[in-house]
């Protein structure tokens, strides 16, 4: 009942269903649209270092010890992950091709967009083997579209979003009111994220997270991108704990001791062996350089976020060029666990440049990429 009262305040109209709700709360904005995404959770094999070449050193990949005292670990860079993937329609038979400008997203889910005033619909199919959800940050959701199970006094349809069972489908409906868009200190667009939140730690370490970009009303192109930005890039500094993944039993060595690998279930053994310090699921420079190539003088907007684990706070650093964050100039930003930031760059320095986490242990463990500025 409280839910209804809340919406009456928003809409001053009776509750008539999600679409009508969106319509009534946005009736004053004739330009607003409903953006629908078909997203599945799929089990796929992911390689943190495709090609087995360390692109930072230029040498064959042998892994970098997390601590210098630890020997290179004889474990694979290939893991079964559960990832959000975008499909063409509700049949979930055809993957929607990822355009070249978003190749750099790596293992992240697709970009979900909204402009202030819009409604976002995510038709979610769970092709995995555990219950999963889509929990968004920032946007306005009712209890049937939050994607997190906990004791909140709800029941029936309001719990269908909590955890979509394997083989199940649920439609999440999110509104994009003013408070989901850029604030007074923000530019024309901001970054939120979405992730599965049934077993938050295991779901996210399995790979279920992605970006959600909201653009201010009146500052968006038809596709929702900000009019004053030439190139958008999303980079997530994700410290993946493979021992916390739902696929850990398949991914990690079954007979660790005989393989000379410490027991992955003992805490002191986890860091040097089973944590992947990635940017969008790539380590040791494996994020394709072509995918992070921008032009001199372009207005480049970097959306940056971090993941969920202990000490999953990072210090992204750009070599070669500087950025503006909340109108302040820097080249290192402070990203807390699950933090989200926007950094605007107008590159003036042509070349291939390092882009890495400046926390020394993360840097040593491969949380590095390169970006290029071309004429
Ligand atoms: Cu870091």
């Amino acid at each position: 009942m409280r839910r209804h009262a809340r919406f009456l305040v928003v809409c001053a109209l009776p509750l008539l269903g999600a679409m009508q709700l969106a319509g009534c709360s946005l009736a004053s904005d004739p330009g607003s649209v409903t953006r629908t995404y078909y997203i599945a959770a799929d089990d796929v094999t992911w390689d943190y270092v495709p090609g087995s070449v360390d692109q930072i050193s230029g040498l064959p990949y042998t892994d970098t010890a997390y601590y210098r005292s630890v020997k290179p670990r004889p474990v694979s860079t290939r893991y079964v992950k559960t990832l959000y993937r975008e499909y063409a329609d509700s049949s979930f038979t055809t993957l929607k091709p990822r355009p070249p400008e978003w190749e750099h997203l790596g293992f992240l889910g697709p970009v979900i967009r909204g402009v202030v005033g819009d409604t976002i619909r995510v038709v979610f199919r769970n092709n995995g083997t555990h219950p999963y959800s889509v929990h968004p940050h920032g946007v306005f959701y009712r209890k049937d579209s939050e994607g997190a199970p906990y004791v909140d006094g709800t029941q029936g349809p309001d719990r269908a979003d909590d955890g979509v069972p394997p083989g199940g489908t649920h439609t999440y409906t999110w509104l994009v009111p003013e408070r989901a868009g850029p604030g007074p200190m923000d530019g024309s667009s901001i970054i939120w994220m979405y992730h599965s939140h049934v077993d938050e730690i295991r779901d996210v370490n399995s790979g279920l997270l992605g970006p959600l970009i909201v653009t201010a009303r009146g500052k968006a192109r038809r596709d929702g991108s900000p009019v004053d930005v030439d190139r958008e890039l999303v980079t997530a500094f994700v410290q993946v704990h493979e021992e916390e993944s739902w696929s850990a039993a398949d991914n990690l060595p079954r007979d660790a001791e005989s393989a000379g690998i410490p027991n992955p279930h003992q805490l002191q053994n986890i860091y040097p062996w089973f944590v992947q310090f990635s940017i969008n699921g790539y380590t040791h420079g494996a994020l394709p350089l072509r995918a992070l190539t921008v032009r001199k003088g372009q207005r480049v907007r970097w959306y940056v976020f971090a993941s969920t684990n202990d000490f999953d706070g990072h210090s992204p650093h750009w070599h070669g060029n500087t950025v503006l964050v909340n109108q302040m100039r820097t080249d290192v930003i402070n990203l807390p666990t699950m933090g989200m930031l926007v950094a605007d760059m107008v590159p003036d320095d042509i070349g291939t440049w390092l882009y890495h986490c400046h926390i020394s242990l993360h840097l040593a463990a491969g949380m590095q990429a390169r970006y290029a500025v071309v004429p």
Side-chain angles (χ1 to χ4, degrees):
M1 291 305 101
R2 193 174 54 185
R3 170 170 69 86
H4 288 203
R6 192 175 184 181
F7 266 89
L8 285 171
V9 171
V10 173
C11 299
L13 278 174
L15 183 63
L16 295 172
M19 294 305 292
Q20 286 150 301
L21 258 180
C24 73
S25 70
L26 307 170
S28 61
D29 184 4
S32 65
V33 299
T34 296
R35 299 175 196 272
T36 301
Y37 298 85
Y38 302 95
I39 296 175
D42 291 337
D43 289 346
V44 297
T45 299
W46 179 257
D47 195 339
Y48 287 94
V49 191
S52 293
V53 173
D54 183 324
Q55 300 291 346
I56 304 300
S57 69
L59 300 172
Y61 172 79
T62 55
D63 200 354
T64 305
Y66 183 74
Y67 298 102
R68 289 184 198 286
S69 57
V70 175
K71 289 185 295 186
R73 49 189 175 180
V75 295
S76 174
T77 58
R78 290 165 66 84
Y79 291 80
V80 175
K81 306 297 296 172
T82 307
L83 306 180
Y84 288 124
R85 298 201 297 175
E86 187 174 12
Y87 283 77
D89 55 45
S90 61
S91 69
F92 287 96
T93 51
T94 309
L95 278 171
K96 194 169 178 179
R98 182 166 274 180
E101 64 266 31
W102 294 118
E103 179 192 2
H104 65 276
L105 290 177
F107 78 173
L108 299 178
V111 171
I112 295 177
R113 278 194 194 277
V115 178
V116 170
D118 285 352
T119 299
I120 297 169
R121 283 176 75 238
V122 173
V123 182
F124 173 62
R125 164 71 56 86
N126 184 358
N127 290 329
T129 53
H130 296 268
Y132 298 124
S133 70
V134 189
H135 167 67
H137 286 233
V139 291
F140 187 100
Y141 43 77
R142 294 184 297 138
K143 278 296 182 184
D144 66 355
S145 291
E146 179 182 8
Y150 57 97
V151 179
D152 58 359
T154 62
Q155 53 193 320
D158 279 346
R159 307 221 69 163
D161 61 303
D162 290 4
V164 179
T169 302
H170 181 75
T171 299
Y172 293 83
T173 303
W174 307 325
L175 306 184
V176 189
E178 202 70 45
R179 62 88 155 153
M185 297 287 283
D186 286 312
S188 53
S189 62
I190 56 173
I191 178 79
W192 299 106
M193 70 171 85
Y194 61 93
H195 57 93
S196 183
H197 201 318
V198 184
D199 182 325
E200 205 273 350
I201 298 166
R202 283 192 178 277
D203 296 357
V204 173
N205 281 299
S206 297
L208 289 169
L209 75 169
L212 196 170
I213 295 172
V214 174
T215 304
R217 198 195 314 249
K219 294 184 179 175
R221 300 186 184 93
R222 261 180 94 83
D223 67 358
S225 63
V227 292
D228 57 352
V229 173
D230 302 314
R231 183 83 171 94
E232 294 171 282
L233 298 168
V234 174
T235 52
F237 285 69
V238 189
Q239 173 181 317
V240 190
H241 282 239
E242 286 294 346
E243 83 286 357
E244 294 278 18
S245 162
W246 283 114
S247 300
D250 295 326
N251 285 331
L252 303 189
R254 286 168 202 277
D255 187 0
E257 263 180 73
S258 68
I261 294 168
N263 182 340
H265 303 293
Q266 290 175 352
L267 185 65
Q268 70 270 24
N269 294 326
I270 287 171
Y271 269 86
W273 296 82
F274 304 113
V275 178
Q276 295 286 340
F277 287 86
S278 87
I279 300 173
N280 295 1
Y282 293 108
T283 68
H284 300 275
L287 203 164
L289 180 61
R290 63 174 178 271
L292 283 187
T293 295
V294 298
R295 294 186 185 285
K296 180 182 175 181
Q298 260 188 332
R299 297 165 298 178
V300 180
R301 178 157 291 167
W302 296 79
Y303 302 102
V304 189
F305 63 96
S307 188
T308 191
N309 292 294
D310 310 346
F311 314 115
D312 216 336
H314 303 284
S315 293
H317 168 48
W318 291 266
H319 283 219
N321 291 277
T322 63
V323 294
L324 277 176
V325 177
N326 293 334
Q327 300 306 314
M328 291 181 287
R329 188 80 66 187
T330 185
D331 65 3
V332 178
I333 59 177
N334 180 12
L335 199 60
T337 304
M338 241 30 179
M340 297 159 275
L341 279 172
V342 174
D344 283 328
M345 172 189 285
V346 180
D348 60 357
D349 205 349
I350 291 168
T352 295
W353 303 107
L354 208 54
Y355 176 46
H356 66 89
C357 179
H358 228 308
I359 295 172
S360 59
L361 291 175
H362 300 183
L363 169 67
M367 201 171 238
Q368 305 190 64
R370 295 167 303 154
Y371 75 99
V373 181
V374 299

